[in-house]
Amino acid sequence: MKSSTKLLQSSPVAFGLIVMTVAMLDLWSKSAMIAWLTPARRTVEVTPFFNLRLGYNPGISFGLLPAESDLSRMLLTGFALLVTLLVVWLGLRSRVWIERLGFALIAGGAVGNIVDRGSDGLVTDFLDFHAFGWHWPTFNLADVAITGGVLVLLAASLIGDRFAQPSQDQTR
């Protein structure tokens, strides 16, 4: 097993570094987009199917379940924090490096969105994909990390034992 995968498999520090790196990249990207896209240029066309478009989301990923009142925003943030703690716990319990990576990506994205929501109850979004007049809901790097982490966990569950460390019995 490569030393980098062994480190991720056994070290809570490596797990935490991935979580914090994802969260910091997300928060930095949001700050950069706010500075660049406010106020005059709220939308920048990058390609015929992709824009940078500043938006603020009161709900969860991709605009689902919007929280309009202070109480609903507080409940949403509290729920997100509980789910994030569960994801961290599951990630630290896992002994399969690819699962740990998936959980770390999910947790890092969730932390980024929770911190962003903390100031005003809204999450900053800026990635806007569209085609033929249809726009996918605007999203951010935290959403990319969360989705990527879920895909990694799905791949790990489908591929299974290829990523597991061999047990003592299998190496004899």
Side-chain angles (χ1 to χ4, degrees):
M1 176 175 292
K2 293 181 183 176
S3 62
S4 60
T5 58
K6 191 172 186 178
L7 179 65
L8 178 57
Q9 186 166 317
S10 62
S11 172
V13 173
F15 182 88
L17 284 173
I18 293 170
V19 171
M20 295 315 300
T21 299
V22 169
M24 288 188 310
L25 285 172
D26 172 64
L27 292 168
W28 173 83
S29 69
K30 290 171 180 173
S31 177
M33 290 297 110
I34 289 169
W36 192 46
L37 297 173
T38 305
R41 300 180 304 216
R42 282 196 78 93
T43 301
V44 173
E45 185 176 331
V46 178
T47 69
F49 59 87
F50 173 65
N51 297 333
L52 294 173
R53 183 172 64 106
L54 194 57
Y56 297 97
N57 178 2
I60 61 173
S61 294
F62 307 115
L64 301 173
L65 301 174
E68 301 296 336
S69 70
D70 288 342
L71 176 62
S72 61
R73 282 190 287 272
M74 189 172 63
L75 290 173
L76 181 61
T77 302
F79 179 72
L81 187 57
L82 286 174
V83 170
T84 302
L85 291 172
L86 174 64
V87 168
V88 168
W89 180 75
L90 290 169
L92 291 174
R93 285 183 42 117
S94 176
R95 295 293 167 236
V96 179
W97 72 269
I98 193 79
E99 288 178 0
R100 271 193 159 201
L101 175 62
F103 284 121
L105 289 171
I106 294 167
V111 167
N113 277 343
I114 289 168
V115 171
D116 185 31
R117 183 182 304 281
S119 62
D120 59 4
L122 302 170
V123 173
T124 305
D125 290 326
F126 56 89
L127 301 170
D128 174 35
F129 285 89
H130 56 89
F132 311 109
W134 183 82
H135 283 259
W136 184 258
T138 306
F139 58 99
N140 57 49
L141 291 185
D143 298 329
V144 172
I146 292 166
T147 303
V150 169
L151 292 174
V152 167
L153 289 176
L154 284 172
S157 70
L158 293 173
I159 296 171
D161 295 338
R162 291 185 193 171
F163 295 110
Q165 181 179 12
S167 70
Q168 295 289 342
D169 296 334
Q170 292 174 326
T171 56
R172 291 184 188 166

